[in-house]
Amino acid sequence: MDSGTPEVTLEMEHWTPSPEAGWVSVKGNVPLMIAEKEVMSEGVLFSMDKKKEKQSLVLKGGALADDGRQGDVKTALEIRTWSPNRNSGKIRLEVNLKSPCVLGISEVTLIKPDGAPVLGRRGWGHSSASDGSSEWHWHYDLEPGEKGKVQVFVSYMSELKLVNVPVEMKFSLSGMVRETSGQ
């Protein structure tokens, strides 16, 4: 799955399993959270001159409660700067977002006071814990002279709904198989 364009892809070869093949069947409903619109948070102002700075950010309508109602979620937004890299001379800037629940985070945007975007993003990552919390990381490689203030905006999904998707499939260690007429 790709966060930019949610899509599930399944591939299979045309083959016939042996008569002794063992199968696993799954039939039922899978709960799936969907969203109807993407919104942008208020900007949070940080100083790139500090090594580490942390602030709270409320994402309005960004969570779905157990009873199905939409609600706000308080997150922690942190920015870290690292010493220049010995080889490239660039400064590593890391933006971290921590949430007590699963969110539909789309993007983070960093804007300088003059309105120019902060360039140099190299990558991002996401992790989830067994307690339901989530964490996102975005990494930037900046020129050595980058200093001053930066405003951080978070794009996320809102108007969330939980839907049940009916699933019926049969698969083995070799992959999923489509039912055919008597074969």
Side-chain angles (χ1 to χ4, degrees), residues 16 34 45 74 78 89 103 123 143 145-146 152 164 166 171 183:
T16 305
I34 62 170
L45 192 62
K74 186 177 179 180
E78 181 179 74
L103 298 174
E143 295 301 323
E146 290 278 1
V152 178
N164 283 317
F171 58 95
Q183 293 182 348

Side-chain angles (χ1 to χ4, degrees), residues 83-172:
S83 299
N85 181 295
R86 280 186 257 174
N87 297 326
S88 69
K90 299 206 177 211
I91 296 170
R92 167 65 58 101
L93 176 74
E94 185 177 302
V95 178
N96 297 316
L97 175 72
K98 292 182 183 180
S99 167
C101 60
V102 175
L103 298 174
I105 300 295
S106 303
E107 185 69 56
V108 68
T109 304
L110 280 62
I111 304 290
K112 297 176 191 173
D114 65 1
V118 174
L119 303 176
R121 189 162 102 189
R122 293 204 59 222
W124 68 278
H126 172 261
S127 61
S128 297
S130 60
D131 65 358
S133 63
S134 292
E135 193 168 333
W136 291 262
H137 313 277
W138 295 270
H139 304 281
Y140 292 79
D141 282 342
L142 307 177
E143 295 301 323
E146 290 278 1
K147 292 200 180 280
K149 303 276 185 196
V150 64
Q151 204 163 20
V152 178
F153 297 89
V154 178
S155 296
Y156 63 98
M157 304 311 291
S158 71
E159 297 186 23
L160 306 172
K161 294 180 185 173
L162 194 62
V163 296
N164 283 317
V165 178
V167 172
E168 185 172 353
M169 68 176 114
K170 186 187 282 188
F171 58 95
S172 74

